[in-house]
Amino acid sequence: MSTPTIASASTVSADQPDQLSIDTLRLLAVDAVQKANSGHPGAPLGCAPMAYLLFHKLMKHNPANSKWADRDRFVLSNGHASALLYSSLFLSGYKLTMDDLKSFRQWESKTPGHPERGEADGVEVTTGPLGQGFGMAVGMAMAEKHLAAVYNRPGFEVVDHHTYVIAGDGDMMEGVSHEAAALAGTLGLGKLIVLYDDNLISLDGPTSLSYTDKYLERFSSYHWHVQQVDDGNDLMAIDTAIEKAKAETGKPSFIAVRTIIGYGSPKAGTSKVHGEALGEEDVARTKKFFGFPEDKSFYVPDEALANWRKSVDRGTAAESDWNKLFADYQAKYPDLAAEFTRTQSGKLKDGWEKAIPSFPAGKPMATRNAGGTVMNAIGGPLPELFGGAADLTASTKTIFKPGASFHEDAAGRNVFFGVREFGMCAAVNGMAAHGGLIPFGSTFFCFSDYCKPALRLAALMKVHSLFVFTHDSIGLGEDGPTHQPVEHLMALRALPDMTDFRPADANETAAAWRLAIERKGPSFFALSRQDLPVIDPATHDVYAGVSKGAYILEDAADPQVVLMATGSEVAPIIEAAKLLAGDGIRARVVSFPSWKIFEEQPAAYKASVLPAGVPKLAVEAGSTLGWWKYVGLDGDVIGVDRFGASAPGPVVMQHLGFTAENVAAHAKKLLK
């Protein structure tokens, strides 16, 4: 492809509504960055024609209702170009003001440095960590395809929308984009369209320093429909390419658009325009290039605003047409329409929790097995539950039986993500952000490292993403330290707004699933490979206990020591309490399945479970870091501050101190 020549000011006609509107978008973004003296003006200057075409002409969206269920989704994967998105939303008529643009990157503004879901109206997902927007867009397209297969009927395509992405070279370099692109091609996500801002420049300089991929061949090998546009200012060429992409319904589409970073500025085509304000002199020169007043900031010509705001009338009409279609659909298919409305609103089906099984005491069960049983049980009343594993369904037990594969039947609920942990979790976040589904992904707990950035964005967005991690400790045994998580619980507990669940048995697992569904935010489960004793549901209200985060499982009058544990370590502390009782020592046993939920409880409740002045011993087969806030200076922690070992699980647990005898011995030391 040849590099287009930068046009001179005389070649840019401000008389044409399209060109005037595009240049208005460009310069609003430039002014926002300049006022903040921080940001990325280069991509907005180069990508404005693409954004204009999408928001003004091609996308089905309603600025007056950013939550319309059948809107097209837009993801700015190169989130550093956020000024482009905010300016597009403002000009289109979303609930964003000029003052919001002027407060770009400032404290408590609706326009933070990178797009954040829940801040500016119209922002679908949080982006900035490169590649994740691409991955989430794949999840959005998966959600659209599944929901369309479930709810559409001939003549009633109530789910029929596209997912559009603008992505940059950084997105293409990040490994998650490779994972997500390969998955999207395999799944045939024909309503996913990615526009690649191919400007040949990265932050450090020319992309040739580090990125020489044959990207068209790459995406073609992933079973994508690929095109290229030689000039990013050629609206007709971009429009034609997008229309061709929409016509290709069996494959996702990748359109490489050759742009000039910082187009129209003195620093155009260089890395110097990527990540810093232009400076007042260069801003003035850029405005002169486009024929705009050099002394006016945040200038929006009336003609440009009127042209942009046509999006409101178009969007209102499009939604009105859809509402009429849905009313007819509702009359003909009332049950389907009611289910669609319920799931889109996020409301749970009345009485769904009655499907949750209770597990009798007496027969040990691995919590991964219990989790699979619970998931299948609640899958009936909650058809919105949708997901799978990273090539580990047989091990994580996260598969609906019977159930079709999504790849073979779009109405199927079992997703085979392949060995793509990061891509899987990014897609789960995209599905959750899309709406209408409660998505989950699963793998071994140790491999949560591979998807940690996606877990972080799930927490930041507060979306209803569920992550099922099994083989949760050194207790998994022979696979050894490469597969035995040690620091992972503490790392994920440190995430704000992420709920942790490490249940002690099958019934705590059932309670954890119920709470994860009810809380409607991101949660993760850490579940055992090995069988664990089952707490007797006839003598313990396990759900009530887990809903407090930590609770008294066994007690003694006026306890002398508190033993607390999570997961598989609860069983040995129960046995340790019996050993201590034989020696005349009164011990309280506390099961601690969720730190986050416990921290949400009133101080009085926390004090009632962990009374001041009583020595405390925490037991967990993971890093001790963090437990000290609960045990205090006069307490102790039995944990794993080293890597594990390859041997049968019980042998590893014994050698590293997770026995009732060792727990009792440590407790006695606290009482001396």
Side-chain angles (χ1 to χ4, degrees):
M1 289 183 291
S2 60
T3 303
T5 303
I6 301 177
S8 66
S10 61
T11 67
V12 179
S13 172
D15 296 331
Q16 300 174 19
D18 286 343
Q19 191 62 58
L20 183 64
S21 297
I22 291 168
D23 295 342
T24 299
L25 171 60
R26 284 171 160 143
L27 295 175
L28 270 183
V30 165
D31 281 336
V33 172
Q34 183 60 36
K35 187 172 189 301
N37 196 28
S38 170
H40 301 74
L45 283 167
C47 291
M50 287 186 272
Y52 171 73
L53 270 178
L54 290 175
F55 278 90
H56 181 261
K57 178 183 177 183
L58 298 176
M59 283 203 311
K60 181 176 66 173
H61 66 118
N62 185 4
N65 179 14
S66 64
K67 302 302 181 186
W68 171 29
D70 199 39
R71 68 191 181 278
D72 287 339
R73 268 61 170 181
F74 174 76
V75 176
L76 183 70
S77 192
N78 51 338
H80 55 268
S82 57
L84 173 72
L85 177 55
Y86 299 143
S87 298
S88 298
L89 293 171
F90 164 72
L91 290 169
S92 297
Y94 284 82
K95 297 179 181 67
L96 206 64
T97 68
M98 183 65 82
D99 285 341
D100 292 324
L101 297 185
K102 292 178 179 179
S103 62
F104 178 55
R105 287 182 164 235
Q106 304 309 303
W107 179 255
E108 292 187 338
S109 77
K110 294 180 180 178
T111 51
H114 292 84
E116 294 182 29
R117 177 179 170 87
E119 295 296 335
D121 184 45
V123 173
E124 299 282 1
V125 290
T126 299
T127 58
L130 292 170
Q132 288 205 60
F134 189 110
M136 287 187 282
V138 169
M140 289 178 163
M142 290 172 66
E144 193 278 342
K145 185 171 184 176
H146 175 68
L147 294 173
V150 170
Y151 291 105
N152 288 355
R153 294 295 181 269
F156 295 95
E157 283 70 36
V158 294
V159 181
D160 183 15
H161 53 266
H162 287 78
T163 300
Y164 292 96
V165 182
I166 291 179
D169 54 80
D171 294 298
M172 296 301 107
M173 294 185 220
E174 288 286 358
V176 66
S177 73
H178 293 253
E179 294 183 19
L183 179 63
T186 297
L187 296 177
L189 302 179
K191 290 185 178 176
L192 173 62
I193 299 175
V194 175
L195 296 162
Y196 169 39
D197 175 22
D198 180 18
N199 60 35
L200 303 177
I201 296 293
S202 64
L203 182 59
D204 279 347
T207 52
S208 58
L209 293 172
S210 59
Y211 176 63
T212 58
D213 293 19
K214 294 181 179 179
Y215 40 80
L216 295 179
E217 290 91 335
R218 168 188 159 191
F219 276 83
S220 180
S221 74
Y222 289 149
H223 309 294
W224 285 56
H225 175 243
V226 299
Q227 300 176 77
Q228 59 185 10
V229 174
D230 288 335
D231 184 351
N233 287 316
D234 188 339
L235 289 184
M236 185 173 295
I238 300 170
D239 189 355
T240 299
I242 293 174
E243 291 297 343
K244 286 181 179 178
K246 290 170 70 175
E248 172 53 75
T249 58
K251 296 179 179 180
S253 289
F254 179 83
I255 305 171
V257 182
R258 176 59 55 82
T259 64
I260 298 174
I261 190 171
Y263 175 77
S265 77
K267 299 172 182 174
T270 73
S271 60
K272 295 184 181 299
V273 77
H274 175 92
E276 59 185 43
L278 292 176
E280 291 183 6
E281 290 185 6
D282 281 353
V283 168
R285 293 189 185 114
T286 305
K287 290 179 178 178
K288 181 179 180 180
F289 175 89
F290 290 113
F292 273 53
E294 299 170 44
D295 58 346
K296 290 186 178 181
S297 295
F298 298 95
Y299 173 62
V300 179
D302 291 341
E303 310 96 290
L305 186 61
N307 185 44
W308 269 99
R309 291 290 165 90
K310 291 176 182 177
S311 299
V312 177
D313 291 338
R314 286 197 205 95
T316 300
E319 184 176 357
S320 177
D321 289 344
W322 183 86
N323 287 336
K324 293 174 184 175
L325 174 69
F326 192 80
D328 292 341
Y329 174 77
Q330 198 169 28
K332 189 165 185 178
Y333 304 103
D335 292 343
L336 272 176
E339 193 84 315
F340 180 81
T341 300
R342 179 188 68 77
T343 55
Q344 286 293 318
S345 71
K347 186 179 184 298
L348 300 174
K349 182 174 289 186
D350 291 341
W352 73 273
E353 71 282 358
K354 295 175 183 177
I356 298 175
S358 177
F359 298 90
K363 184 179 180 181
M365 175 182 274
T367 53
R368 63 168 175 161
N369 291 336
T373 300
V374 174
M375 190 193 83
N376 272 272
I378 63 177
L382 297 179
E384 61 266 43
L385 200 58
F386 177 83
D391 200 41
L392 286 170
T393 54
S395 295
T396 62
K397 310 302 180 184
T398 47
I399 188 166
F400 293 103
K401 297 180 179 180
S405 160
F406 173 65
H407 175 48
E408 297 171 343
D409 176 0
R413 301 165 70 183
N414 289 318
V415 182
F416 295 91
F417 288 100
V419 188
R420 303 182 180 102
E421 292 88 357
F422 193 179
M424 171 183 69
C425 292
V428 165
N429 288 342
M431 288 184 252
H434 178 279
L437 296 175
I438 301 175
F440 63 87
S442 65
T443 185
F444 290 170
F445 195 23
C446 199
F447 303 147
S448 63
D449 283 341
Y450 283 148
C451 44
K452 171 62 165 56
L455 302 182
R456 187 173 191 271
L457 279 197
L460 184 55
M461 293 190 291
K462 299 181 178 65
V463 289
H464 201 181
S465 298
L466 305 182
F467 307 102
V468 183
F469 300 127
T470 66
H471 297 59
D472 70 332
S473 75
I474 57 171
L476 68 87
E478 292 86 346
D479 277 339
T482 60
H483 285 51
Q484 293 169 353
V486 172
E487 74 280 15
H488 300 71
L489 268 169
M490 291 302 173
L492 297 190
R493 283 171 176 156
L495 273 177
D497 300 311
M498 173 69 75
T499 302
D500 58 307
F501 290 107
R502 188 172 186 241
D505 81 325
N507 287 312
E508 281 198 0
T509 303
W513 261 102
R514 177 177 173 181
L515 287 161
I517 297 293
E518 292 174 337
R519 288 170 67 84
K520 299 186 179 181
S523 297
F524 75 88
F525 304 85
L527 306 177
S528 74
R529 174 180 184 262
Q530 70 273 32
D531 288 341
L532 305 178
V534 177
I535 298 168
D536 189 350
T539 58
H540 296 83
D541 188 344
V542 176
Y543 172 74
V546 177
S547 67
K548 298 290 188 181
Y551 64 105
I552 299 169
L553 190 58
E554 305 288 348
D555 208 3
D558 192 21
Q560 297 169 277
V561 64
V562 174
L563 309 178
M564 65 184 91
T566 73
S568 54
E569 291 74 73
V570 170
I573 70 169
I574 291 173
E575 295 305 311
K578 294 176 182 177
L579 294 176
L580 291 171
D583 292 332
I585 299 172
R586 302 181 302 279
R588 169 177 290 180
V589 173
V590 173
S591 180
F592 218 124
S594 177
W595 281 27
K596 169 140 182 68
I597 296 178
F598 185 67
E599 287 300 325
E600 294 170 354
Q601 304 311 307
Y605 176 78
K606 290 191 280 189
S608 72
V609 175
L610 304 177
V614 180
K616 301 172 185 68
L617 175 63
V619 183
E620 186 172 70
S623 171
T624 61
L625 183 69
W627 276 111
W628 301 99
K629 70 177 180 178
Y630 294 124
V631 301
L633 295 176
D634 58 346
D636 199 2
V637 183
I638 299 174
V640 182
D641 290 321
R642 50 156 284 180
F643 291 112
S646 178
V651 174
V652 178
M653 295 292 273
Q654 179 179 1
H655 276 281
L656 293 183
F658 296 97
T659 65
E661 291 76 13
N662 189 47
V663 172
H666 273 71
K668 289 177 181 178
K669 289 180 182 178
L670 293 178
L671 298 176
K672 290 183 180 178

Coordinates of all heavy atoms in Angstrom, one line a residue, residues 141-169:
A141 N -19.7 -10.0 20.2 CA -20.2 -10.6 19.0 C -20.7 -12.0 19.3 O -21.7 -12.5 18.7 CB -19.1 -10.7 17.9
M142 N -20.0 -12.7 20.2 CA -20.5 -14.0 20.6 C -21.9 -13.9 21.3 O -22.8 -14.7 21.0 CB -19.5 -14.7 21.6 CG -18.2 -15.1 21.0 SD -17.0 -15.6 22.3 CE -17.8 -17.1 22.9
A143 N -22.1 -12.9 22.1 CA -23.4 -12.7 22.8 C -24.5 -12.5 21.8 O -25.6 -13.0 21.9 CB -23.3 -11.6 23.8
E144 N -24.2 -11.6 20.8 CA -25.2 -11.3 19.8 C -25.6 -12.5 19.0 O -26.8 -12.8 18.8 CB -24.6 -10.2 18.8 CG -25.7 -9.6 17.9 CD -26.0 -10.4 16.7 OE1 -25.2 -11.3 16.3 OE2 -27.0 -10.1 16.0
K145 N -24.6 -13.3 18.6 CA -24.9 -14.5 17.8 C -25.7 -15.5 18.6 O -26.6 -16.1 18.1 CB -23.6 -15.2 17.4 CG -23.7 -16.4 16.5 CD -22.4 -16.8 15.8 CE -22.7 -18.0 14.9 NZ -21.4 -18.4 14.2
H146 N -25.4 -15.7 19.9 CA -26.1 -16.7 20.7 C -27.5 -16.2 21.0 O -28.5 -17.0 20.8 CB -25.4 -16.9 22.1 CG -26.1 -17.8 23.0 ND1 -26.3 -19.1 22.8 CD2 -26.7 -17.5 24.2 CE1 -27.0 -19.6 23.8 NE2 -27.3 -18.7 24.7
L147 N -27.7 -14.9 21.4 CA -29.0 -14.4 21.7 C -29.9 -14.4 20.4 O -31.1 -14.7 20.5 CB -28.9 -13.0 22.3 CG -28.2 -13.0 23.6 CD1 -28.0 -11.5 24.1 CD2 -29.0 -13.7 24.7
A148 N -29.3 -14.1 19.3 CA -30.1 -14.2 18.0 C -30.6 -15.6 17.8 O -31.7 -15.8 17.4 CB -29.2 -13.7 16.9
A149 N -29.7 -16.6 18.0 CA -30.1 -18.0 17.8 C -31.2 -18.4 18.7 O -32.1 -19.2 18.4 CB -28.9 -18.9 17.9
V150 N -31.2 -17.9 20.0 CA -32.1 -18.3 21.0 C -33.5 -17.6 20.8 O -34.5 -18.2 20.9 CB -31.6 -18.0 22.4 CG1 -32.7 -18.1 23.5 CG2 -30.4 -18.9 22.7
Y151 N -33.5 -16.3 20.5 CA -34.7 -15.5 20.5 C -35.3 -15.2 19.2 O -36.5 -15.0 19.1 CB -34.5 -14.2 21.3 CG -34.2 -14.4 22.8 CD1 -32.9 -14.3 23.3 CD2 -35.3 -14.8 23.6 CE1 -32.7 -14.6 24.6 CE2 -35.1 -15.0 24.9 CZ -33.8 -14.9 25.5 OH -33.6 -15.2 26.8
N152 N -34.5 -15.1 18.1 CA -35.1 -14.7 16.8 C -36.0 -15.8 16.2 O -35.8 -17.0 16.4 CB -34.0 -14.4 15.8 CG -33.3 -13.1 16.1 OD1 -33.7 -12.3 17.0 ND2 -32.3 -12.8 15.3
R153 N -37.0 -15.3 15.6 CA -37.9 -16.2 14.8 C -38.1 -15.6 13.4 O -37.9 -14.4 13.2 CB -39.3 -16.4 15.6 CG -39.2 -17.1 16.9 CD -38.7 -18.5 16.8 NE -38.7 -19.2 18.0 CZ -37.6 -19.4 18.8 NH1 -36.4 -18.7 18.4 NH2 -37.6 -20.0 19.9
P154 N -38.5 -16.4 12.5 CA -38.7 -15.9 11.1 C -39.5 -14.7 11.1 O -40.6 -14.6 11.6 CB -39.3 -17.1 10.4 CG -38.9 -18.3 11.1 CD -38.8 -17.9 12.6
G155 N -38.9 -13.6 10.5 CA -39.7 -12.3 10.4 C -39.5 -11.5 11.6 O -40.0 -10.4 11.7
F156 N -38.9 -12.0 12.7 CA -38.8 -11.3 13.9 C -37.3 -11.4 14.4 O -37.0 -12.1 15.4 CB -39.7 -11.9 15.0 CG -41.2 -11.7 14.7 CD1 -41.9 -12.7 14.0 CD2 -41.8 -10.5 15.0 CE1 -43.2 -12.6 13.7 CE2 -43.2 -10.4 14.7 CZ -43.9 -11.4 14.1
E157 N -36.5 -10.7 13.7 CA -35.0 -10.6 14.1 C -34.9 -9.5 15.2 O -34.4 -8.4 14.9 CB -34.2 -10.4 12.9 CG -34.0 -11.6 12.0 CD -35.3 -12.0 11.2 OE1 -36.0 -11.0 10.8 OE2 -35.5 -13.2 11.0
V158 N -35.3 -9.8 16.4 CA -35.2 -8.8 17.4 C -33.8 -8.6 18.0 O -33.5 -7.7 18.6 CB -36.1 -9.2 18.6 CG1 -37.6 -9.2 18.2 CG2 -35.8 -10.6 19.2
V159 N -32.9 -9.6 17.7 CA -31.5 -9.4 17.9 C -30.7 -9.5 16.6 O -30.6 -10.5 16.0 CB -30.9 -10.6 18.9 CG1 -29.4 -10.4 19.1 CG2 -31.7 -10.7 20.1
D160 N -30.3 -8.3 16.2 CA -29.6 -8.2 14.9 C -28.8 -7.0 14.8 O -29.1 -5.9 14.3 CB -30.7 -8.1 13.8 CG -30.2 -8.1 12.4 OD1 -29.0 -8.4 12.2 OD2 -30.9 -7.7 11.4
H161 N -27.6 -7.1 15.4 CA -26.7 -5.9 15.4 C -25.2 -6.3 15.2 O -24.9 -7.5 15.4 CB -26.9 -5.1 16.7 CG -26.7 -5.9 18.0 ND1 -27.8 -6.5 18.6 CD2 -25.7 -6.3 18.7 CE1 -27.4 -7.1 19.7 NE2 -26.1 -7.0 19.7
H162 N -24.4 -5.3 15.0 CA -23.0 -5.6 14.7 C -22.2 -5.0 15.9 O -22.6 -4.2 16.7 CB -22.5 -4.8 13.4 CG -23.0 -5.5 12.2 ND1 -24.3 -5.3 11.7 CD2 -22.4 -6.3 11.3 CE1 -24.5 -6.0 10.6 NE2 -23.3 -6.6 10.3
T163 N -20.9 -5.5 16.0 CA -19.9 -5.0 16.9 C -18.8 -4.4 16.1 O -18.2 -5.1 15.2 CB -19.4 -6.1 17.8 OG1 -20.5 -6.7 18.6 CG2 -18.4 -5.6 18.8
Y164 N -18.6 -3.1 16.2 CA -17.5 -2.4 15.5 C -16.3 -2.1 16.4 O -16.5 -1.8 17.6 CB -18.0 -1.1 14.9 CG -19.1 -1.3 13.8 CD1 -20.4 -1.3 14.1 CD2 -18.7 -1.5 12.5 CE1 -21.4 -1.4 13.1 CE2 -19.6 -1.7 11.5 CZ -20.9 -1.6 11.8 OH -21.9 -1.8 10.8
V165 N -15.2 -2.2 15.9 CA -13.9 -1.9 16.7 C -13.0 -1.0 15.9 O -12.8 -1.2 14.7 CB -13.2 -3.3 17.0 CG1 -11.9 -3.0 17.8 CG2 -14.1 -4.3 17.7
I166 N -12.4 -0.1 16.5 CA -11.3 0.6 16.0 C -10.1 0.2 16.9 O -10.2 0.3 18.1 CB -11.4 2.1 16.0 CG1 -12.4 2.6 15.0 CG2 -10.1 2.8 15.7 CD1 -12.7 4.1 14.9
A167 N -9.1 -0.3 16.2 CA -7.9 -0.9 16.9 C -6.6 -0.4 16.3 O -6.6 0.0 15.2 CB -7.9 -2.4 16.9
G168 N -5.6 -0.3 17.1 CA -4.3 0.2 16.7 C -3.2 -0.9 16.6 O -3.5 -2.1 16.9
D169 N -2.0 -0.5 16.3 CA -0.9 -1.5 16.2 C -0.6 -2.1 17.5 O -0.3 -3.3 17.6 CB 0.3 -0.8 15.6 CG 0.7 0.4 16.4 OD1 1.4 0.3 17.5 OD2 0.4 1.5 16.0

